[in-house]
Amino acid sequence: MSEKAKTYRIEGLSCANCAKTFENNVKGLDGVVDAKVNFGAAKITVLGTTTVNELERAGAFENLKLRDEREQTVDQRPFWKARENVKVYLSALILIVSWLIGKKLGNESYIPTIGYALTILIGGHSLFISGLKNLARFQFDMNTLMTIAIIGAAIIGEWGEGATVVILFAISEALERYSMDQARNSIKSLMSLSPKEALIRRHNQEMVIPVDEIQIGDVMIVKPGEKLAMDGIVLRGTSTINQAAITGESLPVAKGIGDEVFAGTLNEEGLLEVKVTKLVDDTTLAKIIHLVEEAQGEKAPAQAFVDRFAQYYTPVIIIIAFLLAVVPPLFFSADWGRWIYQGLAVLVVGCPCALVVSTPVAIVTAIGNAAKHGVLIKGGIYLEEAAHIKSIAFDKTGTLTKGTPTVTDFIPLVKNQENLLEITAAIEDQSSHPLAFAFVKKVKEEGVSYKKIQVNNFQSITGFGVKGEVHGQLYYVGSPKLFEKISEIAIEVEQIIESLQNEGKTVMLLGSEKELLAIFAVSDEIRKTSQSLIRELNKLGINNIIMLTGDNRATAKAIGSVIGVSEVKAELLPEDKLTYIRQLRNNHGHVAMVGDGVNDAPALAAANIGIAMGGAGTDTALETADIALMSDDLSKLPYTIKLSRKTLKIIKQNITFSLVVKLVALLLAFPGWLTLWLAIFADMGATLIVTLNSLRLINRQ
């Protein structure tokens, strides 16, 4: 019997070190083969057999609670009412009372000492349990350092300072929990978007059932003002749908029969009947939530650096603290009590909390912010890489243009032209190319019948066109480049082709092996946002912007000049685009490729970052792209680059600030000026400042 992986959500997970400790504890449980904690998403995946109670016992050191992954919402208490904070209030009250009694009775009384001891026990009992266990295993994490420092303070008679350290540390932990909850709020809000049940018509009966029981093919009835529970296709009715949660679009989108709709979106006006096309775990919203949570667990290069640094940093701090405590008394006849105290203060200030949290909170917050704006970033590495982009290559069709070309010209080249449209339509109907769709659509609009024409031996000629036999005659439909290989093109025909191409149109020819029969011109409308996009990217310092297309040079240059790209590469086959992207990487270092996520997959994969357009409803885009723009809105690209740069800037600020604060505090220890309360205040203050600095990304526009 194979082991099954089970995923749980974790409540109360606030620090990266705690996540690692919890993961190790779970791995040590009987029946558990492996376990992996996603700190950013606050989830754990367990391979093996165990129970929630056993998992919660493994997380008892931090009072962690677990629930099933499907339980997306729980009753949230206000921060100040949280059970974990009760011990903070009680121990803080005892500390204040003890301090006041000490002021009144003087240092001779034992009552304040008893009060300080109670403060330490109440406020720090979970800290001590974890710290002592780690100390027994020679694992020197934050809890271990704090435990040694507080017990050491009590041994040398500094009960008041030990109690103060416990309170400040407890406050710090409570605020960290609150901050991480705020950082994860964007995903929590996504989880609450989709209803948990829906009105379904099945076998001519209407019933309200949980989304888990809805099947593909069921008809979902959605009234005005209701949210859609499932993805589907509109069978009946028209309405406007607010898709902001999925695509980031600010304006509602009109939907009618045959249009695709998504779970979590809001039906604003009309009654809709929707045929369900995906199960609850496969909806676009479910995929977004899953991918964003996975992305929040992926480490950015900056975070990997911090983790490696922390491995060496903590042992060095312990060595410095030990030397500071013993060298002055042993070699310079200094006071043992004073320098042991300084060593303990170094242990406290040396806790790497601020440093460890400096990166993940920023990454979690930024990726969550992007998801709210309709941008799916699939990991910290891609978020960070977007800040370094030097060149961007755009696919033309469907990216810089709308991707819905229309036939504008039909020029027959022979006298007998009765069957030319029917033959062309019959052959093109076998193709999946956008230009083929355009031609078939045009023929249908004109009422030309072609379905009865049989096409034999159809074949697609990659990058050039198609061919097929009709009534025993072999015909070709494709670019002028295709016919250059078959027969010579007359000068007067070349002039017509060149004239159409200079107008920015794409030219297709119909012909046999013997002669050309007709010229067709197709035009693809440029997106309204394309020109403003290029200007915005130029303002961001990205001036090397290239348009890649399989279209002819004249058409490509005409479109490229209107849009304002710096370079146009035309008449490219898919392998040519791949080769060019590799050249760009060699020449410029950091290259992004923007496409529709379906075509040009090799080029998207070869770039430092592959960015797919229109990820909503497109499984290929969600699965293959590093970044997916959920709508077809190119303005999200500058936003993504600005968010990435801001995130990287904040991470650098956090790391620098954390190290500077530690260094200053350590320097204060050598002349003997560092106190325990100052040490914990520096550590707590640095942690809170870097966390709050990261939370600035929550509302980044």
Side-chain angles (χ1 to χ4, degrees):
M1 181 177 171
S2 60
E3 300 289 352
K4 187 177 180 182
K6 173 81 173 170
T7 301
Y8 303 88
R9 298 193 179 276
I10 312 168
E11 294 176 35
L13 189 65
S14 60
C15 76
N17 282 333
C18 303
K20 190 64 181 174
T21 302
F22 180 49
E23 183 180 286
N24 291 334
N25 289 352
V26 173
K27 285 179 179 178
L29 294 175
D30 291 337
V32 173
V33 178
D34 195 15
K36 183 173 178 58
V37 171
N38 181 332
F39 171 63
K43 292 165 66 175
I44 182 170
T45 301
V46 182
L47 181 65
T49 54
T50 187
T51 64
V52 171
N53 287 336
E54 288 175 327
L55 292 172
E56 288 186 346
R57 276 198 292 272
F61 69 96
E62 193 70 3
N63 198 28
L64 302 179
K65 300 297 177 187
L66 281 85
R67 54 191 169 90
D68 191 272
E69 185 184 25
R70 285 176 177 266
E71 294 178 37
Q72 296 181 341
T73 55
V74 291
D75 294 331
Q76 291 288 335
R77 291 183 179 181
F79 169 69
W80 62 275
K81 284 186 177 180
R83 188 173 58 184
E84 298 86 355
N85 296 338
V86 173
K87 66 178 183 181
V88 180
Y89 306 144
L90 180 59
S91 51
L93 178 63
I94 296 171
L95 174 65
I96 293 168
V97 171
S98 301
W99 180 78
L100 291 173
I101 291 173
K103 281 287 185 183
K104 189 169 185 178
L105 300 181
N107 295 329
E108 303 298 324
S109 175
Y110 286 100
I111 296 176
T113 303
I114 294 171
Y116 293 144
L118 280 174
T119 299
I120 291 171
L121 289 173
I122 294 171
H125 72 276
S126 59
L127 165 70
F128 296 143
I129 292 170
S130 176
L132 291 171
K133 284 181 178 178
N134 290 342
L135 189 60
R137 302 174 189 146
F138 292 97
Q139 294 176 353
F140 294 95
D141 65 359
M142 176 184 65
N143 291 337
T144 314
L145 299 182
M146 292 297 296
T147 300
I148 295 171
I150 293 165
I151 292 174
I155 290 172
I156 62 173
E158 296 290 346
W159 289 93
E161 292 216 26
T164 305
V165 166
V166 166
I167 294 298
L168 290 174
F169 182 69
I171 293 171
S172 174
E173 281 197 313
L175 291 174
E176 271 190 59
R177 279 193 298 273
Y178 175 75
S179 300
M180 282 308 302
D181 285 342
Q182 291 297 108
R184 294 174 180 132
N185 268 346
S186 55
I187 300 305
K188 290 180 182 177
S189 63
L190 282 178
M191 290 176 187
S192 64
L193 284 175
S194 185
K196 302 299 177 286
E197 57 185 19
L199 177 60
I200 295 295
R201 182 186 297 129
R202 186 187 293 170
H203 307 308
N204 294 322
Q205 288 188 328
E206 293 184 5
M207 62 194 88
V208 176
I209 61 175
V211 291
D212 290 347
E213 298 176 15
I214 297 176
Q215 301 169 4
I216 293 174
D218 284 343
V219 176
M220 179 172 60
I221 300 169
V222 189
K223 298 175 183 177
E226 291 183 345
K227 288 182 179 178
L228 281 77
M230 308 289 284
D231 284 10
I233 301 292
V234 177
L235 291 180
R236 185 179 300 172
T238 58
S239 185
T240 55
I241 301 288
N242 187 328
Q243 299 186 147
I246 302 294
T247 65
E249 295 169 285
S250 57
L251 297 176
V253 179
K255 297 286 184 178
I257 295 172
D259 289 333
E260 188 174 19
V261 290
F262 308 111
T265 57
L266 177 66
N267 179 24
E268 293 196 337
E269 294 176 352
L271 179 72
L272 293 177
E273 292 188 10
V274 178
K275 181 181 178 182
V276 175
T277 56
K278 294 178 181 177
L279 297 175
V280 64
D281 289 336
D282 298 324
T283 64
T284 300
L285 179 62
K287 286 185 177 180
I288 290 171
I289 292 170
H290 174 74
L291 289 170
V292 171
E293 289 186 329
E294 291 301 305
Q296 290 180 328
E298 293 291 325
K299 291 183 179 179
Q303 188 175 349
F305 160 76
V306 168
D307 290 345
R308 286 195 305 271
F309 182 82
Q311 287 180 343
Y312 301 101
Y313 168 84
T314 305
V316 168
I317 287 294
I318 293 171
I319 292 169
I320 291 173
F322 176 77
L323 293 176
L324 195 63
V326 301
V327 169
L330 283 177
F331 296 98
F332 302 101
S333 301
D335 179 59
W336 276 98
R338 178 189 175 189
W339 288 103
I340 288 175
Y341 178 88
Q342 289 299 308
L344 295 174
V346 167
L347 283 182
V348 172
V349 82
C351 288
C353 307
L355 188 62
V356 171
V357 84
S358 61
T359 303
V361 178
I363 296 295
V364 167
T365 307
I367 289 177
N369 178 304
K372 286 195 300 183
H373 286 82
V375 179
L376 181 60
I377 303 173
K378 294 176 68 174
I381 186 171
Y382 307 117
L383 177 67
E384 191 169 320
E385 182 63 39
H388 300 301
I389 289 175
K390 304 295 183 187
S391 301
I392 302 181
F394 288 90
D395 176 42
K396 177 178 76 73
T397 306
T399 303
L400 293 173
T401 63
K402 288 186 176 179
T404 52
T406 55
V407 177
T408 58
D409 300 85
F410 167 54
I411 305 170
L413 299 175
V414 292
K415 290 182 181 179
N416 184 17
Q417 50 183 282
E418 293 179 5
N419 297 323
L420 295 183
L421 284 174
E422 290 95 328
I423 292 170
T424 309
I427 295 172
E428 289 286 60
D429 197 35
Q430 312 295 312
S431 174
S432 60
H433 195 280
L435 296 181
F437 288 143
F439 190 85
V440 171
K441 181 183 177 184
K442 177 72 172 177
V443 170
K444 285 180 178 177
E445 288 173 354
E446 295 188 359
V448 176
S449 176
Y450 65 90
K451 287 289 186 181
K452 293 180 180 179
I453 297 177
Q454 186 174 349
V455 179
N456 298 316
N457 300 321
F458 174 84
Q459 184 180 341
S460 176
I461 307 167
T462 305
F464 295 99
V466 295
K467 66 178 181 179
E469 287 182 9
V470 176
H471 305 313
Q473 172 69 48
L474 182 62
Y475 291 95
Y476 294 84
V477 182
S479 66
K481 213 171 181 181
L482 170 63
F483 286 90
E484 287 173 6
K485 297 181 175 184
I486 300 170
S487 61
E488 189 174 342
I489 300 176
I491 294 175
E492 57 269 23
V493 174
E494 285 185 345
Q495 290 174 344
I496 297 171
I497 292 171
E498 186 177 348
S499 175
L500 291 169
Q501 289 175 345
N502 288 335
E503 294 175 18
K505 297 175 181 178
T506 300
V507 175
M508 297 190 299
L509 303 177
L510 168 68
S512 65
E513 291 178 312
K514 296 179 182 179
E515 61 180 339
L516 287 175
L517 302 173
I519 300 173
F520 303 96
V522 178
S523 177
D524 189 2
E525 189 179 348
I526 296 171
R527 291 182 186 273
K528 292 179 181 178
T529 55
S530 292
Q531 291 169 301
S532 58
L533 165 75
I534 303 303
R535 289 195 296 270
E536 189 69 24
L537 291 174
N538 289 338
K539 287 179 184 177
L540 292 173
I542 302 172
N543 298 310
N544 193 39
I545 301 172
I546 307 98
M547 185 178 79
L548 306 181
T549 179
D551 218 335
N552 66 84
R553 284 188 176 82
T555 302
K557 283 186 176 179
I559 293 174
S561 63
V562 172
I563 295 173
V565 296
S566 54
E567 191 176 353
V568 174
K569 291 290 180 181
E571 300 179 1
L572 299 178
L573 299 173
E575 56 265 32
D576 298 328
K577 292 182 181 181
L578 173 61
T579 302
Y580 185 72
I581 291 294
R582 286 173 175 167
Q583 290 175 358
L584 271 180
R585 287 192 65 170
N586 291 333
N587 296 336
H588 298 278
H590 298 274
V591 177
M593 172 72 189
V594 186
D596 61 8
V598 179
N599 301 319
D600 307 316
L604 286 168
N608 295 87
I609 301 180
I611 302 173
M613 292 280 292
T618 309
D619 290 344
T620 309
L622 289 175
E623 290 166 8
T624 61
D626 303 319
I627 296 176
L629 309 180
M630 301 306 291
S631 66
D632 283 338
D633 186 2
L634 283 171
S635 68
K636 299 296 182 184
L637 183 55
Y639 152 80
T640 305
I641 293 171
K642 285 189 271 190
L643 176 68
S644 172
R645 291 180 179 179
K646 185 66 177 178
T647 304
L648 196 57
K649 184 179 178 181
I650 282 177
I651 288 172
K652 288 178 178 177
Q653 289 172 351
N654 288 348
I655 293 173
T656 303
F657 179 76
S658 302
L659 292 175
V660 167
V661 167
K662 302 294 183 187
L663 181 60
V664 170
L666 286 173
L667 292 175
L668 290 175
F670 290 104
W673 298 343
L674 185 63
T675 61
L676 275 175
W677 68 266
L678 182 62
I680 187 62
F681 194 75
D683 179 65
M684 179 185 76
T687 303
L688 292 179
I689 288 172
V690 299
T691 303
L692 293 173
N693 193 37
S694 299
L695 290 179
R696 289 195 293 137
L697 293 165
I698 284 180
N699 297 314
R700 181 74 183 175
Q701 299 295 324

